[in-house]
Amino acid sequence: VVTMNTRQKKFNVLFIMTDNQPADMLGCYGNNEIYTPHLDRLAEQGMKFQNAFCPNGMCSPCRASVLTGLMPSQHGIHTWLDDRLMDQWPDHWNAIEEFITLPQILQSQGYKTALIGKYHLGMPFQSQNSFEHWVTFPHGHTVNFWHNTIIENGQQYVYPGHSVDCFTEKAVEYIQAHDPVDDPPFFLFLTYNAPYGHKPAIEGPARNRFAHLYENCPMETIPRVALSQEAILRYDLKKDQSGGGIEYSAELTTPNDLIALRNYYSQMSMIDDGVGQVLAALQQCGLDEDTLVIFTTDHGFSLGHNGFWGHGQATWPSNTHRTAFSIPLLVRHTNHISPSQSSQLMVNSVDLF
């Protein structure tokens, strides 16, 4: 039973989103090769959704749906925004500017709002969509996890380490600076640009502090199957049309690449460690019971499943198999959601709005 006073109280919201992660990339979803103790504990502390899905297999549409509560057919973004064309965009362009967004609604209700991490819905150099505190990086795609340019409230600098560590540190700083007595509640949208899963970001052996956990991992949680025949036919067609100048793409060379797979898994452990630090900051600041925590991703990712590597439109051919659309969804609200719950409900990213 929730009392009327509790209903009227405004709780903080910590909304964590990863980039390109299938649901079964967590131990709590049955993966016995991935090291994710903090996220597994988060699942034990609240509700785990077994049938959560994204509305689109690409990044920008899913992020737009989460922030607007609209399906891609309503907000009009159907694929990723190619920021290689950024010089052709209008100044301060925002792909969802005409829609009322979640941070805008919460801000109107007295919330502080912050985005820390990946944006990928328009120009990233100044804050967008009523986010007051703004820490991001210039690109929607990730070429390298190391030495990225960071945009922090209008200032730019190069972070010397791993981008997951950068966004974790900034989230911890934001939480520690919050005064639960005098400050209004906060909405923190923490959007990690990992585990990602595309080359060159995961090409070669991982260099992060969790790489050693996977050096000899047999990767039996990844299906060892042949490539989709249609992917090969499409490659052959493009090669013939180009006169033979087309090289094999990552979609064809990454499946069964153990080094890349282990690299990808290690990036997930980096996120898990970051989430652990952020949740510890909540506890240390006495904000545990006052904060609704949501963990999810933008969309799923095929790791060789059904002969595909990638997600949605990014595979050859485009696919809508479960792994590309199934997402993790963990929700914790201490004293409001009972621990160790598992839901079979069919839910969608739009429901989070």
Side-chain angles (χ1 to χ4, degrees), residues 15 17 61-70 75 96 99-105 115 119 121 128-129 131 187 189 349-350 353:
F15 193 142
M17 175 179 282
C62 293
R63 292 166 189 267
S65 289
V66 165
L67 290 180
T68 63
L70 302 173
H75 59 59
I96 53 174
F99 301 108
I100 297 173
T101 62
L102 185 58
Q104 183 180 352
I105 293 171
L115 178 136
Y119 179 55
L121 285 171
Q128 301 269 28
N129 305 118
F131 283 113
F187 170 61
F189 195 31
S349 304
V350 176
F353 183 89

Side-chain angles (χ1 to χ4, degrees), residues 187-199:
F187 170 61
L188 171 54
F189 195 31
L190 174 56
T191 55
Y192 287 113
N193 65 319
Y196 198 60
H198 290 300
K199 292 180 177 179

Side-chain angles (χ1 to χ4, degrees), residues 114-283:
L115 178 136
I116 299 177
K118 174 175 171 175
Y119 179 55
H120 208 184
L121 285 171
M123 282 291 191
F125 302 105
Q126 294 175 303
S127 62
Q128 301 269 28
N129 305 118
S130 297
F131 283 113
E132 301 160 339
H133 186 72
W134 185 258
V135 182
T136 187
F137 72 147
H139 308 292
H141 60 284
T142 296
V143 175
N144 198 318
F145 291 113
W146 305 87
H147 305 286
N148 280 290
T149 297
I150 301 298
I151 303 163
E152 183 171 359
N153 297 320
Q155 303 298 313
Q156 294 188 36
Y157 57 89
V158 174
Y159 183 81
H162 197 288
S163 55
V164 168
D165 284 335
C166 175
F167 297 138
T168 296
E169 290 172 14
K170 293 301 173 182
V172 169
E173 288 176 8
Y174 185 81
I175 290 169
Q176 290 176 338
H178 178 75
D179 186 330
V181 176
D182 295 328
D183 287 345
F186 63 76
F187 170 61
L188 171 54
F189 195 31
L190 174 56
T191 55
Y192 287 113
N193 65 319
Y196 198 60
H198 290 300
K199 292 180 177 179
I202 61 162
E203 194 163 19
R207 296 187 289 133
N208 62 60
R209 58 185 173 275
F210 294 98
H212 68 282
L213 296 178
Y214 304 99
E215 284 179 356
N216 300 308
C217 182
M219 305 306 294
E220 293 174 350
T221 50
I222 303 296
R224 293 325 213 316
V225 296
L227 291 172
S228 162
Q229 183 179 6
E230 290 179 87
I232 300 296
L233 291 174
R234 178 170 170 177
Y235 164 77
D236 287 339
L237 179 62
K238 291 184 70 175
K239 183 176 180 180
D240 290 341
Q241 291 175 340
S242 67
I246 299 293
E247 297 181 357
Y248 280 108
S249 68
E251 287 85 355
L252 299 182
T253 59
T254 311
N256 300 311
D257 182 341
L258 284 177
I259 293 175
L261 289 168
R262 290 165 178 160
N263 190 330
Y264 180 64
Y265 267 44
S266 74
Q267 307 304 338
M268 190 65 237
S269 293
M270 286 288 291
I271 291 172
D272 178 80
D273 183 59
V275 171
Q277 293 180 53
V278 173
L279 295 180
L282 284 178
Q283 185 175 25

Side-chain angles (χ1 to χ4, degrees), residues 30 37 47 71 83 87 89 103 111 117 174 205 228 309 313-314 331 338 349:
M47 174 79 78
M71 293 295 286
D83 46 27
D87 59 346
W89 296 354
Y111 275 75
Y174 185 81
S228 162
W309 182 274
Q313 183 189 335
V331 182
S338 299
S349 304

